[in-house]
Amino acid sequence: MNISHVIVINRPVKEVAAYLSDIANDSVWQEDVLESAVTTSGPVGKGTAGFEVRSFMGFPMRTEWIVTSYEPEKLLCFESTASAFPYEGAMEFSAVDGGTRLTYAFSTKTEGLASLFDPLMKLFFGFRFRANLDNLKRILETS
């Protein structure tokens, strides 16, 4: 399952990238994130690890992840290291007239019987991702 959304946020790249690189903000802009934290020390970069607890169909689901690639103010890639639904994702930042173009891509690595649910999961997650990005835009443009 692959999901990708593009949104333009009327804030400089530096501010948008900094906000999204601060994992503590995940529960602010993502409605279904109950808790998130970095579990390694130092600034965010390749190898940074953390976890999140997300509400999934009313149940808490904990996942652990690691940053796989990081270019400040350009790219942040991550993948799960422990999750019921293994995933990987990327946030790509670029300057546009009046703000930042954010491309947020996400894919799951379902196998076997779980892959039968991909169309339903894509519909559910696609809607949630879009709503979360709209919320992110509202938060950053009004702060």
Side-chain angles (χ1 to χ4, degrees):
M1 176 188 71
N2 298 304
I3 298 170
S4 182
H5 287 297
V6 176
I7 193 165
V8 173
I9 300 171
N10 297 317
R11 301 296 287 187
V13 170
K14 184 175 186 168
E15 291 179 22
V16 175
Y19 186 87
L20 289 171
S21 296
D22 183 350
I23 305 311
N25 291 324
D26 284 5
S27 62
V28 176
W29 70 275
Q30 295 184 60
E31 181 180 340
D32 47 348
V33 174
L34 306 172
E35 180 184 3
S36 60
V38 171
T39 56
T40 53
S41 60
V44 172
K46 185 176 180 179
T48 297
F51 75 92
E52 70 180 16
V53 178
R54 187 177 292 271
S55 177
F56 180 71
M57 298 184 174
F59 297 96
M61 183 176 73
R62 181 184 169 106
T63 64
E64 296 178 16
W65 50 262
I66 191 166
V67 174
T68 57
S69 182
Y70 183 69
E71 295 178 45
E73 300 176 24
K74 292 184 180 172
L75 180 69
L76 190 151
C77 299
F78 54 91
E79 70 179 24
S80 63
T81 56
S83 176
F85 298 99
Y87 62 84
E88 58 186 26
M91 292 182 281
E92 192 172 346
F93 311 94
S94 58
V96 294
D97 189 30
T100 301
R101 179 177 188 224
L102 169 64
T103 303
Y104 196 112
F106 181 86
S107 63
T108 60
K109 304 173 188 177
T110 53
E111 298 176 352
L113 289 177
S115 65
L116 296 175
F117 295 102
D118 276 357
L120 180 60
M121 298 293 281
K122 185 171 185 172
L123 181 65
F124 175 78
F125 281 119
F127 174 77
R128 289 300 323 136
F129 271 63
R130 185 78 224 169
N132 285 336
L133 289 174
D134 289 342
N135 191 40
L136 172 69
K137 178 179 174 72
R138 182 186 55 76
I139 289 168
L140 290 178
E141 289 183 354
T142 58
S143 62

